[in-house]
Amino acid sequence: MAGAGVSSEPGSKSEALLELARLRQSIRREGYDCIGDFHCGAYECDHVSPYTKSGNNTDAEIMIVAQDWASSDALSADPLDRVSAELGYDPKIPTNRNLDALLTRHFGLSRADCYLTNLFPFVKHGGMSAHIPRKDLVYCAQTFTLPEIEIVDPRLVICLGLNTFLALRSAADHSGSLKMPEAVRTPFCIGETCVHCVAHTGARGTNNRGREQVERDWQHLARIHRSRLVRQV
């Protein structure tokens, strides 16, 4: 397996997260491929998702949870995407550019200050916009994302997109479905961690929510986060 600089000090957060990565590597989910199936394992890593390479602060106050990392069409393309294989993300695509800008503008943070992951760590067939059924998202939220939250213990989890938020919400035993405007206004808690929904930072999610509203959502979220920190001091 391709290493990613993960410490395995006994009893550490990194060791627990590495065990989760090993669990992901051991599972084949019917109807999906695995990260290691492409280009002789060049995209494989010692994280639940390669996205964590770009944000691996295991003591972070903020965790970012995106939906999924890649599709079979993207990973099977030639030549190998060396930037994504090395960094765990492509800095040029709108999803990542927008996320980085929002984190800096509203929290004064870079992705390296946070812990980043994907809720669905397997590889869907087809293109990047291919649908992932809710049951598969919830399974992965229960199997991987909830344990990641428990291990990292952030104060705030920001879910990118409604599907990500609803899957994590369902995995945490909250029933019912919500539309995006209501989801943004309806955070929930996992222990001491507050989980919030924002629009996906890709072009479609940003345009559907509206750029001005996205800015207001993040501004409000940052204000809430700062007020919680003040109360906890």
Side-chain angles (χ1 to χ4, degrees):
M1 298 297 179
V6 178
S7 167
S8 58
E9 179 183 349
S12 69
K13 289 183 178 182
S14 294
E15 182 186 49
L17 291 166
L18 181 58
E19 289 180 4
L20 268 183
R22 295 292 187 239
L23 175 63
R24 187 264 301 162
Q25 293 166 355
S26 72
I27 294 174
R28 295 205 69 92
R29 184 79 175 162
E30 185 177 357
Y32 301 96
D33 294 318
C34 294
I35 295 168
D37 292 345
F38 302 88
H39 288 280
C40 300
Y43 294 109
E44 186 56 275
C45 67
D46 287 334
H47 302 290
V48 169
S49 168
Y51 210 37
T52 304
K53 289 183 178 182
S54 68
N56 188 26
N57 180 1
T58 58
D59 293 319
E61 291 186 350
I62 297 177
M63 177 186 287
I64 307 294
V65 181
Q67 179 178 286
D68 63 298
W69 189 66
S71 70
S72 61
D73 285 358
L75 295 187
S76 61
D78 289 319
L80 167 72
D81 182 347
R82 296 189 181 280
V83 172
S84 294
E86 179 181 353
L87 301 181
Y89 80 117
D90 183 345
K92 295 180 181 179
I93 67 172
T95 296
N96 293 313
R97 291 203 317 267
N98 291 337
L99 174 60
D100 290 342
L102 288 163
L103 278 172
T104 299
R105 210 157 40 237
H106 297 289
F107 290 91
L109 299 173
S110 71
R111 65 175 53 223
D113 297 313
C114 305
Y115 187 88
L116 274 62
T117 192
N118 285 106
L119 182 139
F120 187 81
F122 301 107
V123 180
K124 61 194 177 187
H125 293 167
M128 288 299 292
S129 62
H131 175 67
I132 302 174
R134 177 68 57 81
K135 64 180 178 62
D136 294 322
L137 294 174
V138 173
Y139 165 81
C140 290
Q142 292 170 332
T143 305
F144 302 106
T145 315
L146 287 180
E148 282 182 290
I149 292 171
E150 181 179 355
I151 293 165
V152 177
D153 193 26
R155 296 179 186 271
L156 171 65
V157 169
I158 302 176
C159 292
L160 304 185
L162 183 61
N163 288 337
T164 302
F165 178 76
L166 292 179
L168 188 54
R169 188 174 183 269
S170 179
D173 294 325
H174 293 271
S175 60
S177 187
L178 305 170
K179 300 295 185 182
M180 175 60 79
E182 187 179 5
V184 171
R185 300 191 302 268
T186 313
F188 65 94
C189 292
I190 299 173
E192 298 298 317
T193 299
C194 295
V195 181
H196 286 258
C197 179
V198 297
H200 191 279
T201 55
R204 181 183 298 178
T206 299
N207 291 337
N208 286 345
R209 183 66 173 158
R211 290 187 177 275
E212 291 185 0
Q213 186 59 57
V214 167
E215 292 292 338
R216 287 193 289 268
D217 292 343
W218 278 78
Q219 185 178 46
H220 179 65
L221 183 53
R223 186 165 56 246
I224 290 173
H225 180 60
R226 284 193 295 268
S227 69
R228 287 183 185 134
L229 293 181
V230 169
R231 289 198 302 269
Q232 292 170 0
V233 171

